[in-house]
Amino acid sequence: MDSKKVKELKQALIKELQEVSTESNLEEFRLQHLTRQGTIAEIFAGLKELDADQKRIMGPELNALKKEINALFEAQKETIFQQKLKVAQDKEKYFDVTISKPVGHGSLHPYTRVTEEIQSIFMSMGFQVADGPELVTEFFNFTALNIPDDHPAREESDTFWIDHNRLLRTQTSTVQIQTMKHQKPPIAIIAPGRTMRNEATDASHDFMFMQFEGLYVGKNVSVANLLATLKSFLSTFFGKKVNLRVRPGYFPFVEPGLEIDATCPFCTKGCSVCKQTKWIELMGAGLVHPNVLKHCDLDPEEYSGFAFGFGLTRLVMLKYQISDIRLLHSGTIEFLKQF
Ligand code: DAH
C-alpha cells in the first residue's frame, strides 16, 4: 500500500458515489465499502503489514480518506432524501382527477326518505314546506296556541326550558303561528321538524323526535276539507286506499279537536302493527281555534282553517319496522347501512 493507491481508491469511490441515485444503490455502496468487511476497513487492515515509518505516513492518509468518503456518503444520502420528499409533495399538490377509486356509498337516513316522500305528496296538492326555529318563546309554543297558563305541558317535567321565557319547542304546531304571523291567507303549509320533550328514554320514547304539522287557512274551511286532504295523502303514502275513522279529541288549538285513525295499511285481518284491531292511530287534527287566529291577527269571522299534526318518528318506525326509537339518531353505521 502507498499514497498513490490510496489516492486511486479515493477517486474510484468518489466516482462511484456520484453515480449513486437511489436508496438501494446507496445501501449497496455502504455494504460494499463502509462496513467492517468493506473496502475501507480492508485497506485499514493492510496497515499492520507496514513498518513504523510508513504507518506514520499512511495512517493519517487513510483516516482522511475514511472521513471524506463518509462525509460524501452522508451528503448523497441527504440529496436522495430531498428528491424523494419533493416527488411526494408534488404528488400531493397535483392530484390526478381522472383516477377513479372505488368509494363506499352513503344512503339517505329514513327520516330524510320519509320526509321527502310526504313533502312531495303535499306539494302535489299545492302545499308549501315551511320551517321554523327549534328554540322558541313561550308565546309560540303555548300562549298563541291557546294552551292555558296552568296546562301541565308547560311544566319543567315535560319541557326543556332555557330560561323563564325560552324553550325547545315541544311540538311543530309552533310553525302554524310563525307562518300565520308572516303570511296572509290563503295559507297551505306543511312543516316537518324536530321536537324536544323532557322525557325519560326507552325503546319507544325519546327526548327528541320528529313531527309533521299541516295547516290550511282560507275561507269557509270545513272538517270535510281536512278529511279529504288526509285521506288522499295517506292513500298515496301507503300505496293503497285508506279509510279514516274520526274520534273526538282535545287539543287547545283546535275546535273541534279530532283524533284520526286509518285502516291498517299492513293487513286486512289484523296484525302485530295494528295489534289485531285493523286500525292504526295516526294523528291529532281539527279546525283552527278562533283564539289562535286572533293571536295571529287574523279575523275568525273572515277566516277559518284546519290543522293536523302527527309523529313523523312513529310513521318512520311503522314503515321500516324499527323497534327502538333511539337507533334513529344513534349514528350507528350498521343500522344506517340497511337503508
Ligand atoms: N301538536 C300536537 C301534539 O304534539 C299534535 C296536533 C294535534 C297537531 C292536533 C295539530 C292538531 O295541528 O290540530 O301532540
Side-chain angles (χ1 to χ4, degrees), residues 145 170-174 176 195 197 209 211-215 250-251 253-254 256-258 283-288 306-311:
L145 286 162
T170 62
Q171 48 186 351
T172 46
S173 305
T174 51
Q176 290 188 29
T195 51
R197 286 186 198 172
F209 53 98
Q211 285 193 336
F212 209 99
E213 195 77 13
L215 174 72
Y250 172 69
F251 303 99
F253 34 91
V254 277
L258 310 169
M283 62 181 89
L287 296 185
V288 181
F306 67 71
F308 58 88
F310 58 87

Side-chain angles (χ1 to χ4, degrees), residues 81-288:
F81 171 76
Q82 290 299 342
Q83 280 166 353
K84 208 174 146 190
L85 191 69
K86 189 168 180 306
V87 171
Q89 283 169 344
D90 284 353
K91 239 193 207 159
E92 250 173 49
K93 241 187 267 164
Y94 308 102
F95 66 96
D96 184 351
V97 289
T98 64
I99 290 176
S100 68
K101 272 195 197 158
V103 282
H105 287 283
S107 59
L108 291 180
H109 193 281
Y111 272 151
T112 313
R113 279 168 187 267
V114 174
T115 305
E116 284 180 356
E117 213 177 313
I118 296 174
Q119 285 178 176
S120 92
I121 300 171
F122 274 105
M123 279 155 74
S124 75
M125 294 196 274
F127 282 74
Q128 286 183 331
V129 179
D131 196 11
E134 291 170 1
L135 179 66
V136 295
T137 60
E138 186 174 14
F139 175 80
F140 286 94
N141 199 81
F142 297 122
T143 311
L145 286 162
N146 200 34
I147 296 175
D149 281 347
D150 57 357
H151 196 284
R154 293 191 182 225
E155 282 179 20
E156 257 173 62
S157 53
D158 290 297
T159 301
F160 289 116
W161 287 92
I162 302 299
D163 56 32
H164 71 284
N165 186 32
R166 293 178 306 163
L167 59 134
L168 300 179
R169 70 176 177 199
T170 62
Q171 48 186 351
T172 46
S173 305
T174 51
V175 186
Q176 290 188 29
I177 310 303
Q178 271 133 4
T179 307
M180 286 189 278
K181 280 258 175 209
H182 293 110
Q183 216 174 304
K184 289 288 155 239
I187 294 170
I189 57 115
I190 44 163
R194 288 199 294 185
T195 51
M196 276 64 64
R197 286 186 198 172
N198 195 355
E199 289 208 58
T201 58
D202 61 29
S204 43
H205 298 88
D206 207 348
F207 56 85
M208 183 181 81
F209 53 98
M210 286 197 75
Q211 285 193 336
F212 209 99
E213 195 77 13
L215 174 72
Y216 181 85
V217 183
K219 292 193 173 169
N220 303 319
V221 179
S222 69
V223 171
N225 298 139
L226 165 71
L227 296 181
T229 307
L230 290 179
K231 200 167 164 173
S232 168
F233 157 63
L234 290 169
S235 299
T236 314
F237 182 75
F238 287 118
K240 67 195 276 196
K241 192 166 170 281
V242 161
N243 283 320
L244 301 182
R245 184 169 75 176
V246 179
R247 294 175 287 123
Y250 172 69
F251 303 99
F253 34 91
V254 277
E255 179 57 39
L258 310 169
E259 299 263 7
I260 298 192
D261 308 335
T263 43
C264 179
F266 305 105
C267 70
T268 48
K269 295 196 182 99
C271 66
S272 61
V273 175
C274 62
K275 301 198 180 80
Q276 314 304 330
T277 63
K278 297 185 223 164
W279 291 95
I280 51 170
E281 293 178 13
L282 274 184
M283 62 181 89
L287 296 185
V288 181

